Amino acid sequence: SSRSRDRPVVCMSVQQVSTKKVAVSPLVLEEAKEPPLHVFKNKEPYTGTIVSVERIVGPRAPGETCHIVIDHGGNVPYWEGQSYGIIPPGENPKKPGSPHNVRLYSIASTRYGDFFDGKTASLCVRRAVYYDPETGKEDPSKKGVCSNFLCDSKRGDKVQITGPSGKIMLLPEDNPNGNHIMIATGTGVAPFRAYLRRMFMENVTASSFKFGGLAWLFLGVANGDSLLYDEEFSKYLVDHPANFRYDRALSREHKNKRGGKMYVQDKMEEYSDEILELLEQGAHIYFCGLKGMMGGIQETLKRVAEERGESWEEKLSKLKKNKQWHVEVY
């Protein structure tokens, strides 16, 4: 344990998890009946401060992903599953004299932040770079403006925040014994890290949400070095074996049953009967990550449903009507 800005840092590394549940504050954050929305607008953003930027992938991972902690001083509260807007510095090249457009990032921490004091928020950001298909060389002129700004930031740098936004991915807490199936590709795991910290890490004495259901995470990445928060999730398996399941799909290391690359939908297919049964029983299912993931997932679920003699279209319609189906892709 070290100290940051005169506050105790209980968990400096995103890869470390305390066995004992961590006390959080201020518990007044539990009292709101509705999620905060658009507290800060695009034209009047809040100026936050970078606390830390940590690379969280190994050397063999394609690309770089960073865990970024931002101090908002408790002034930009949010709920698990919401997003922050970030306005990178500089001028919008398409609108001279105007700032850059807002980029949305799912928040990877609970409302109490990584320091459990309600004053920070964490983002999981993959640096966007472009490689020329002819030369194979990186073209800096086409790199992602906001992701590179965030990944290059240093402690003390200022960052313009808008939001929070989003209600689709909010974690339903009306039934603490409910079941939650989470499907993520890459940095799409961000909101699920927040869910799991709330379920298993934090001691929220003022909340009625004492989780006793099943949380099941499917995470798809390229290889073992690309796994995000893996030690954190693996520890939940040890500490909460009855309430947490964790399945990884490593496309460059694992093979599916047909001998092809293992994508997250292939890993889901291995447990398709269980998944469909849980959905029938009222489980919520969440998808977060690249937009391209949804086609393969829908095809897999449709095929499995038809093999069971069921109509996937009818089942999907029912899930959406019951608000069990949550999708946030980009």
Side-chain angles (χ1 to χ4, degrees), residues 153-201:
S153 295
K154 301 293 187 293
R155 179 181 177 85
D157 288 352
K158 301 302 180 182
V159 57
Q160 301 297 302
I161 304 168
T162 70
S165 63
K167 298 178 74 172
I168 293 173
M169 295 291 285
L170 292 177
L171 178 64
E173 299 191 358
D174 54 329
N175 178 14
N177 296 318
N179 299 319
H180 304 268
I181 304 167
M182 299 161 276
I183 294 91
T185 57
T187 58
V189 78
F192 306 142
R193 178 183 186 254
Y195 295 176
L196 295 170
R197 287 172 77 92
R198 186 160 175 82
M199 291 171 176
F200 300 130
M201 183 184 288

Side-chain angles (χ1 to χ4, degrees), residues 254-265:
H254 297 165
K255 298 292 184 183
N256 61 29
K257 66 180 183 180
R258 289 172 288 277
K261 290 184 177 182
M262 173 71 79
Y263 294 108
V264 71
Q265 63 265 27

Side-chain angles (χ1 to χ4, degrees), residues 44-81:
E44 296 181 338
Y46 178 81
T47 302
T49 304
I50 297 291
V51 175
S52 62
V53 176
E54 179 182 356
R55 178 187 169 102
I56 55 171
V57 291
R60 295 188 306 111
E64 180 179 29
T65 300
C66 294
H67 181 81
I68 299 163
V69 181
I70 301 172
D71 184 347
H72 60 79
N75 297 304
V76 197
Y78 57 89
W79 282 10
E80 298 73 25

Side-chain angles (χ1 to χ4, degrees), residues 178-316:
N179 299 319
H180 304 268
I181 304 167
M182 299 161 276
I183 294 91
T185 57
T187 58
V189 78
F192 306 142
R193 178 183 186 254
Y195 295 176
L196 295 170
R197 287 172 77 92
R198 186 160 175 82
M199 291 171 176
F200 300 130
M201 183 184 288
E202 297 178 344
N203 182 17
V204 188
T205 56
S207 172
S208 60
F209 187 64
K210 306 295 188 294
F211 185 66
L214 172 67
W216 192 351
L217 173 63
F218 291 86
L219 175 58
V221 294
N223 56 29
D225 274 20
S226 303
L227 287 168
L228 305 173
Y229 312 112
D230 188 60
E231 289 186 27
E232 189 167 309
F233 299 151
S234 296
K235 187 125 185 4
Y236 297 145
L237 283 175
V238 175
D239 295 342
H240 306 277
N243 302 100
F244 183 53
R245 294 175 68 172
Y246 177 32
D247 285 280
R248 311 161 182 85
L250 309 182
S251 61
R252 299 187 184 181
E253 296 180 7
H254 297 165
K255 298 292 184 183
N256 61 29
K257 66 180 183 180
R258 289 172 288 277
K261 290 184 177 182
M262 173 71 79
Y263 294 108
V264 71
Q265 63 265 27
D266 301 310
K267 180 58 68 173
M268 289 176 64
E269 188 175 6
E270 295 179 9
Y271 304 97
S272 55
D273 285 334
E274 287 183 79
I275 291 172
L276 290 176
E277 288 298 328
L278 286 169
L279 292 174
E280 281 293 326
Q281 296 166 17
H284 288 264
I285 189 166
Y286 312 82
F287 305 88
C288 191
L290 294 175
K291 188 180 298 184
M293 71 187 283
M294 291 307 298
I297 289 172
Q298 292 259 35
E299 290 174 10
T300 297
L301 293 174
K302 180 178 181 179
R303 181 174 66 253
V304 171
E306 290 176 348
E307 289 172 355
R308 292 161 53 103
E310 301 170 351
S311 167
W312 172 244
E313 285 73 17
E314 291 179 8
K315 189 175 291 290
L316 178 59

